[in-house]
Amino acid sequence: MPRPRKGARLGGSPSHERKLLANLATDLFIHEKVTTTLPRAKAVRPLAERLITTARKGDLHSKRTVLRTIRSREAVSRLFDDVAPRYANRAGGYTRITKIGPRRGDGAEEAIIELV
């Protein structure tokens, strides 16, 4: 069983947090850039980089492993066909987080997470 993160969860329950991060990763692979809050961007970065590293192998087992986390077939096909081959010779660091200031309304720190 995975050890829970320290501090408050992003959503509410552990399952909600897992699904929230999976949806952020899905949008990141489809649009290659997502604007979200800074804690969410920092939380989705390790997941997205792990999925890209798995997708670089390109075999059926890797595809099924990624499909366990990301349910969208469109996002998985984009990941395997477009994103992973781009990083074939890169040792890691596939994403970049850029702070863009406080959000209007509630003042939450916003950030852009994008594929490098």
Side-chain angles (χ1 to χ4, degrees):
M1 181 169 210
R3 194 171 138 269
R5 292 187 320 112
K6 290 186 178 178
R9 296 202 172 269
L10 298 175
S13 64
S15 62
H16 186 260
E17 182 174 351
R18 271 195 307 273
K19 289 181 175 144
L20 182 134
L21 294 178
N23 286 334
L24 274 173
T26 300
D27 288 343
L28 180 64
F29 297 141
I30 291 174
H31 303 293
E32 298 192 6
K33 180 193 258 190
V34 176
T35 302
T36 184
T37 62
L38 185 62
R40 286 181 181 181
K42 286 183 176 181
V44 78
R45 174 186 248 172
L47 175 67
E49 296 206 0
R50 195 173 329 115
L51 291 173
I52 292 172
T53 303
T54 304
R56 283 176 49 191
K57 296 175 190 165
D59 57 348
L60 182 61
H61 177 68
S62 301
K63 191 170 273 195
R64 287 179 176 164
T65 304
V66 170
L67 273 168
R68 263 189 257 152
T69 304
I70 296 182
R71 296 296 186 174
S72 168
R73 292 196 181 270
E74 176 193 357
V76 172
S77 65
R78 281 277 310 244
L79 175 61
F80 276 80
D81 298 340
D82 302 336
V83 176
R86 195 182 332 164
Y87 301 117
N89 298 323
R90 194 176 178 108
Y94 314 116
T95 58
R96 172 188 304 132
I97 295 177
T98 309
K99 295 180 185 179
I100 58 173
R103 180 165 56 196
R104 193 172 166 194
D106 64 353
E109 187 70 29
E110 279 198 313
I112 296 175
I113 182 166
E114 58 188 340
L115 298 175
V116 176

